[in-house]
Amino acid sequence: NAGVTQTPKFQVLKTGQSMTLQCAQDMNHEYMSWYRQDPGMGLRLIHYSVGAGITDQGEVPNGYNVSRSTTEDFPLRLLSAAPSQTSVYFCASSWGTEAFFGQGTRLTVV
Amino acid sequence: AQRVTQPEKLLSVFKGAPVELKCNYSYSGSPELFWYVQYSRQRLQLLLRHISRESIKGFTADLNKGETSFHLKKPFAQEEDSAMYYCAHTSGANSKLTFGKGITLSVRP
């Protein structure tokens, strides 16, 4: 039982490049979410999904897209990377009110 | 809108000293509150939730609806308690989890 798995763990992008952060969970949780963690800002919700085919915006959605074609996977796409998107990204899946987090992806945009 | 406030960014104490990490919330309904912890180089994990009223690793947190607070306490800090602590709130199952800005607890030997 791997829980929530994020790939890659580290990534460096050039401004304007696009990429997809992968997130997979094997706990059959319906609710999944993406957060970014920045110093002094805590964790801020980017996008979330309450089940396959359903997604919605969180607090800071601009510059990011998501889709949820299966219960297991919830990828986060950066359309055109900007230095302001340099951050640590966490994916989570939830059972009831408890969230289970991935190990994070540290993204640097230069 | 629901909001979670952690007024301090850093708390540094000596081993054996008491610890209180403050958390205040704003929500008009029945809140569900949590403390999450992130140890160095580890993923964020649930420490405790107000519903269970349990003590985890010596930490307790009591929900005070009058003061809208959910402070995390431990009578005697240990070095292994050093970590980032986040207070979080949700309005119910499979609902958005809102985090405070977090506080770094540093326990010195």
Side-chain angles (χ1 to χ4, degrees):
Chain A
N1 191 338
V4 180
T5 302
Q6 289 183 237
T7 55
K9 291 185 179 179
F10 303 94
Q11 183 70 50
V12 179
L13 287 179
K14 293 183 178 179
T15 297
Q17 285 185 317
S18 63
M19 79 160 294
T20 299
L21 307 185
Q22 301 292 343
C23 176
Q25 54 97 1
D26 60 1
M27 297 174 283
N28 203 32
H29 292 167
E30 292 293 332
Y31 188 92
M32 296 185 73
S33 51
W34 275 102
Y35 291 87
R36 59 177 291 173
Q37 181 186 43
D38 301 291
M41 302 296 291
L43 281 88
R44 292 180 292 171
L45 182 64
I46 305 172
H47 284 285
Y48 65 98
S49 169
V50 298
I54 306 170
T55 64
D56 206 346
Q57 296 181 351
E59 181 185 354
V60 288
N62 292 341
Y64 308 95
N65 271 359
V66 292
S67 60
R68 185 92 180 272
S69 56
T70 67
T71 299
E72 294 77 21
D73 300 300
F74 190 43
L76 178 71
R77 296 184 187 85
L78 278 71
L79 308 174
S80 177
S84 60
Q85 294 179 303
T86 292
S87 186
V88 181
Y89 292 84
F90 288 98
C91 177
S93 70
S94 297
W95 173 253
T97 56
E98 181 175 354
F100 298 84
F101 286 84
Q103 74 273 35
T105 295
R106 186 173 295 274
L107 175 69
T108 302
V109 182
V110 298
Chain B
Q2 55 196 43
R3 184 176 298 174
V4 176
T5 303
Q6 294 181 253
E8 300 157 332
K9 291 184 179 180
L10 171 67
L11 179 63
S12 183
V13 301
F14 285 106
K15 177 182 175 181
V19 167
E20 182 179 63
L21 307 182
K22 293 183 169 57
C23 174
N24 290 90
Y25 66 93
S26 61
Y27 181 65
S28 58
S30 297
E32 295 204 42
L33 289 149
F34 309 85
W35 278 97
Y36 280 79
V37 60
Q38 186 178 29
Y39 300 103
S40 179
R41 301 186 185 281
Q42 295 187 26
R43 64 185 69 195
L44 202 67
Q45 59 187 287
L46 178 66
L47 179 62
L48 53 78
R49 67 185 84 193
H50 89 273
I51 288 179
S52 58
R53 302 181 64 82
E54 58 194 343
S55 174
I56 303 293
K57 299 184 179 182
F59 285 98
T60 59
D62 292 320
L63 178 62
N64 185 323
K65 291 187 177 181
E67 296 182 356
T68 59
S69 68
F70 187 56
H71 302 328
L72 185 68
K73 300 178 183 179
K74 184 169 183 176
F76 308 103
Q78 302 299 315
E79 290 180 66
E80 55 265 30
D81 296 328
S82 295
M84 176 75 82
Y85 291 81
Y86 290 96
C87 184
H89 166 279
T90 184
S91 56
N94 294 330
S95 299
K96 288 185 283 186
L97 195 59
T98 300
F99 286 87
K101 294 186 177 181
I103 180 170
T104 299
L105 173 63
S106 174
V107 182
R108 293 169 286 172

